Amino acid sequence: MALAHRYDFVLLFDVKDGNPNGDPDAGNLPRIDAETGNGLVTDVALKRKVRNYVGMTRGEQPPHEIYVKEKAVLNRAHERAYVAIGAEDALKGDDKKRKGSGDTVDKARQWMCANFFDIRAFGAVMSLGVNCGQVRGPIQLTFARSIDPVVAQEHSITRMAVATEKEAQAQEGDNRTMGRKHTVPYGLYRAHGFVSAFLAKQTGFSDDDLELFFTALEQMFEHDRSAARGEMAARGLYVFKHDSELGNAHAHALFDRLTVKRAEANAEPARGFDAYSVLFDGEPVAPGESKPAAPGVTLHRRC
């Protein structure tokens, strides 16, 4: 069933001795706000981890296929949609004629929403090549920003091998390759998210889909380990559930009441989650606990 409630949520996660989201245009350095020094993780990076978790746990089978994935050719999925709805004739001829009628595009868009989880959740632009229209997803995520400024450290590393005979000859058999690795010693990051019940109706995003999405946020770092990312973990998922589709309170007003601060003022640089306190209206919220947040709004801490 389609969603009958609006949701807003806060995701807290941390990184230790790793690079949570390197910038390829900056030598893969951790992303940092140049003015404040706070670390950043893009919404795209978080969605990638959700997609990977859903694809892994659901076996890439409908209705949980993943549209945007590594090495995907998106128009192949569009062509599948046209075949599935019986519009193969629209695929014939050159690209200029492969746009389909309005009714065909609508049916193709519905088929894509029904079969691909990330289209139902995040939306997609599917109007290039074989036209399946556009979808605005019910889930929107912000960049994650670290609570405190972070320091991007650069480390020299050595590989005791070379790739080619030419390199070996140039080094007279020494066969060493020098490289660089970038890490953040520690950073606690906070991201905000929003779930629209109205947009969920347009894509068919259901309560089961939402539960899978929240589970992915809780578990995605457990299945995304790499030497580059160090230790990453979800430290808190705080979900505000509204009694209505429109919502019963402003999201920013709810978010402002959830504070993340250093447990001790003027302490040494943080190197773990225990250096912080997370409070809602000045009180801690335990994992699994629910409490009223505003008239018509309930706060649930999932992890």
Side-chain angles (χ1 to χ4, degrees):
M1 296 181 63
L3 300 186
H5 305 273
R6 197 188 95 191
Y7 297 84
D8 306 303
F9 61 89
V10 177
L11 173 67
L12 299 178
F13 63 91
D14 62 1
V15 60
K16 184 176 181 179
D17 296 327
N19 186 351
N21 184 207
D23 186 346
D25 285 335
N28 209 43
L29 281 166
R31 298 178 192 269
I32 293 178
D33 183 327
E35 293 184 323
T36 66
N38 292 88
L40 300 173
V41 174
T42 66
D43 60 317
V44 175
L46 297 176
K47 290 176 182 177
R48 174 76 275 144
K49 297 181 195 314
V50 170
R51 287 182 167 105
N52 290 346
Y53 178 87
V54 172
M56 176 187 69
T57 58
R58 295 299 186 272
E60 284 280 353
Q61 296 298 314
H64 298 108
E65 287 193 68
I66 299 300
Y67 178 64
V68 179
K69 57 187 175 183
E70 187 176 3
K71 299 180 180 179
V73 179
L74 302 182
N75 263 303
R76 292 177 183 171
H78 301 181
E79 292 174 354
R80 285 175 53 202
Y82 271 59
V83 172
I85 65 174
E88 297 94 329
D89 290 344
L91 300 176
K92 299 175 181 178
D94 58 34
D95 287 343
K96 293 182 180 180
K97 297 179 181 179
R98 297 171 67 183
K99 298 299 181 182
S101 65
D103 183 60
T104 298
V105 172
D106 287 342
K107 290 181 179 179
R109 181 173 58 247
Q110 292 172 13
W111 188 91
M112 296 292 288
C113 287
N115 285 274
F116 292 90
F117 175 87
D118 54 338
I119 295 177
R120 288 197 304 279
F122 306 130
V125 177
M126 303 175 290
S127 53
L128 299 178
V130 180
N131 185 12
C132 289
Q134 299 184 26
V135 176
R136 185 179 176 191
I139 296 178
Q140 300 299 326
L141 285 166
T142 67
F143 275 34
R145 177 178 291 269
S146 67
I147 304 302
D148 291 322
V150 299
V151 177
Q153 296 185 338
E154 185 177 25
H155 311 274
S156 296
I157 56 176
T158 306
R159 183 178 68 176
M160 306 300 292
V162 293
T164 65
E165 289 288 346
K166 184 178 180 180
E167 290 179 279
Q169 292 172 5
Q171 295 190 32
E172 298 181 351
D174 190 35
N175 291 10
R176 292 173 184 264
T177 305
M178 301 299 294
R180 293 285 186 270
K181 186 172 184 177
H182 305 285
T183 65
V184 169
Y186 182 79
L188 176 62
Y189 291 75
R190 173 174 177 160
H192 294 167
F194 314 88
V195 185
S196 166
F198 289 98
L199 293 176
K201 291 179 180 179
Q202 296 179 23
T203 69
F205 189 80
S206 67
D207 286 312
D208 289 341
D209 288 331
L210 182 65
E211 179 62 27
L212 176 58
F213 171 72
F214 284 148
T215 301
L217 292 181
E218 297 168 6
Q219 299 292 330
M220 60 188 183
F221 297 114
E222 300 297 323
H223 305 280
D224 189 56
R225 304 295 186 190
S226 79
R229 282 186 279 279
E231 295 182 67
M232 296 187 69
R235 292 295 188 172
L237 178 57
Y238 299 81
V239 179
F240 297 95
K241 181 179 180 180
H242 299 252
D243 285 349
S244 67
E245 294 178 334
L246 281 174
N248 301 84
H250 293 296
H252 70 270
L254 298 172
F255 294 156
D256 287 346
R257 292 162 60 191
L258 184 72
T259 59
V260 185
K261 297 180 179 179
R262 292 294 299 274
E264 298 181 16
N266 302 319
E268 294 294 320
R271 289 297 182 265
F273 182 62
D274 57 358
Y276 293 88
S277 62
V278 184
L279 305 174
F280 183 74
D281 288 345
E283 298 292 334
V285 182
E289 183 180 354
S290 299
K291 62 189 305 181
V297 183
T298 304
L299 169 62
H300 305 269
R301 182 179 175 186
R302 291 182 55 105
C303 71

